[in-house]
Amino acid sequence: FEERVPEDPSPYLLVLHPCPDNPPPGAVENCMVKGTILIPCRTASRGNFPLNGTYFQDHEVFADDSSSRLPIDFSSECLNDLGKCIVYFGSSIHSITKGQTRQDIEDCYKKGYVCIRGFDRRTRSPRRLCAALHSINEKKEDNSKNKEGAGLGKSNEQKAPLTN
């Protein structure tokens, strides 16, 4: 992966794929897990972006198309010291914020990252978000999208390790 654009406020992120091969966090030490790299928007666009300085420039990440389709193997041991953050996945901002209160939407914009598309690093073009990462809006018992530990495909939110 290329170096981040110097003024890019967002780090590269890693999202783990929910699959039978990935044990729950803390269940097994030193096993292999599969993940996709999330590329900061400003770095993906090499610093050129029509909405410069907006939320989408500062908080949008793109799912690397290659590691979305063929997830990268990581040792769970190397993930232990990484921080975590919130990433909201969906086909659009509307699908992510649907049903949220104004405060929930503000928190989404202030505290998390948004991923609504994939990115082909070779052609530098956007791609449809891979089905493995695509969220499905489901009605929840407490109608909150800020639940801890929500699984992919059940929420618009995922905790993603921070990688630099």
Side-chain angles (χ1 to χ4, degrees), residues 40-69:
C41 175
R42 200 175 290 187
T43 295
S45 63
R46 294 185 172 150
N48 298 318
F49 194 72
L51 302 175
N52 193 26
T54 65
Y55 169 81
F56 296 103
Q57 177 89 34
D58 293 341
H59 297 274
E60 185 173 9
V61 292
F62 300 135
D64 171 53
D65 194 58
S66 176
S67 65
S68 292
R69 298 188 189 294

Side-chain angles (χ1 to χ4, degrees), residues 65-154:
D65 194 58
S66 176
S67 65
S68 292
R69 298 188 189 294
L70 293 169
I72 300 170
D73 289 328
F74 293 91
S75 167
S76 62
E77 188 175 313
C78 74
L79 304 176
N80 291 337
D81 295 329
L82 296 179
K84 292 187 172 135
C85 65
I86 296 171
V87 177
Y88 298 87
F89 292 90
S91 59
S92 67
I93 296 301
H94 175 73
S95 71
I96 291 171
T97 59
K98 184 177 180 181
Q100 288 189 6
T101 66
R102 181 183 176 131
Q103 186 61 51
D104 289 341
I105 294 169
E106 284 181 26
D107 289 346
C108 167
Y109 282 80
K110 290 177 185 174
K111 299 177 182 177
Y113 295 91
V114 172
C115 184
I116 60 173
R117 65 182 61 109
F119 181 75
D120 186 322
R121 289 182 293 132
R122 187 179 51 78
T123 64
R124 310 212 61 81
S125 59
R127 294 281 181 251
R128 177 176 250 162
L129 193 59
C130 182
L133 298 175
H134 209 279
S135 295
I136 299 169
N137 282 330
E138 289 185 357
K139 189 172 186 176
K140 295 184 194 167
E141 292 174 28
D142 66 357
N143 201 25
S144 170
K145 296 194 181 199
N146 289 325
K147 262 186 167 171
E148 290 288 323
L152 278 172
K154 297 191 187 224

